[in-house]
Amino acid sequence: DAGVTQSPTHLIKTRGQQVTLRCSPKSGHDTVSWYQQALGQGPQFIFQYYEEEERQRGNFPDRFSGHQFPNYSSELNVNALLLGDSALYLCASSSLPQLFGYTFGSGTRLTVV
Amino acid sequence: KNEVEQSPQNLTAQEGEFITINCSYSVGISALHWLQQHPGGGIVSLFMLSSGKKKHGRLIATINIQEKHSSLHITASHPRDSAVYICAVNPRGSQGNLIFGKGTKLSVKP
């Protein structure tokens, strides 16, 4: 049973560019949450998708957007990249009402230069 | 002040020692999670707690809802336990997002 799969694992982008990160949830999970983890910090909640809609959003600008597909996989898009967007981006899947916790992917390491 | 505080930030132990990591939170919660993160970045869920105590192998997690405090204990620590341990909470009434602590970096020396 595959866990959460994230791609790519590493990515280098130039300031001002756009990036798309992908997440396939664990089999049986229907909810995907995205987190940003800066070096030495705990992850910060970006947003959560359920039934192809953004269900809740953290304190991130509109440059951060997402999408969930009918097969529950999800994308995170970041426009107009800033140096400060360099971080590990984690995807976590779950099944509402989250009685059984979360399964995390290994993350995508984004470096903006 | 962060809503989830962990202590200590860094911990070095000798193999075999009993280890305790503490987590305090300031919001009402529906659940608390202990997570393990290895240098590669991937996070593994260790425990989800809403009350009492849970045990899995050498790991024990406890929570005191009234005091808004949780502890993670590792008995007979081993170098393979070296990782960052993160406490995270589901705020009560939230749609399911997690608020994370900054983590405790544990290094177990042989």
Side-chain angles (χ1 to χ4, degrees), chain A residues 15 17 34 84 103 108:
Chain A
R15 198 169 36 178
Q17 284 188 314
W34 287 93
T103 301
T108 294

Side-chain angles (χ1 to χ4, degrees), chain A residues 54-72:
Chain A
E54 184 181 289
R55 195 159 176 267
Q56 191 175 14
R57 188 179 183 93
N59 189 25
F60 278 80
D62 292 344
R63 298 187 298 108
F64 290 75
S65 63
H67 189 77
Q68 186 179 35
F69 299 93
N71 66 353
Y72 308 118

Side-chain angles (χ1 to χ4, degrees), chain B residues 37-48:
Chain B
Q37 186 171 35
H38 282 280
I43 290 178
V44 174
S45 180
L46 300 174
F47 294 103
M48 183 172 80

Side-chain angles (χ1 to χ4, degrees), chain A residues 35 37 41-43 45 48 55-56 90 98-99 101-102 104 106, chain B residues 33 35 37 41-43 45 48 90 95-98 100-102:
Chain A
Y35 295 86
Q37 186 177 25
Q41 302 295 315
F45 175 70
Q48 183 185 75
R55 195 159 176 267
Q56 191 175 14
L90 292 160
Q98 277 136 2
L99 294 176
Y102 300 81
F104 287 83
S106 296
Chain B
H33 304 256
L35 310 162
Q37 186 171 35
I43 290 178
S45 180
M48 183 172 80
N90 286 114
Q95 301 283 341
N97 64 299
L98 288 169
F100 290 78
K102 292 186 176 180

Side-chain angles (χ1 to χ4, degrees), chain A residues 25-113:
Chain A
K26 180 179 177 179
S27 177
H29 285 180
D30 56 12
T31 303
V32 173
S33 304
W34 287 93
Y35 295 86
Q36 180 195 65
Q37 186 177 25
L39 204 59
Q41 302 295 315
Q44 298 288 318
F45 175 70
I46 304 175
F47 42 54
Q48 183 185 75
Y49 276 85
Y50 172 69
E51 291 189 339
E52 302 180 49
E53 290 192 359
E54 184 181 289
R55 195 159 176 267
Q56 191 175 14
R57 188 179 183 93
N59 189 25
F60 278 80
D62 292 344
R63 298 187 298 108
F64 290 75
S65 63
H67 189 77
Q68 186 179 35
F69 299 93
N71 66 353
Y72 308 118
S73 67
S74 177
E75 289 182 348
L76 163 65
N77 300 292
V78 187
N79 294 322
L81 284 167
L82 303 173
L83 297 179
D85 295 332
S86 295
L88 179 69
Y89 289 84
L90 292 160
C91 169
S93 73
S94 57
S95 183
L96 289 183
Q98 277 136 2
L99 294 176
F100 304 107
Y102 300 81
T103 301
F104 287 83
S106 296
T108 294
R109 175 75 62 187
L110 172 64
T111 301
V112 182
V113 298

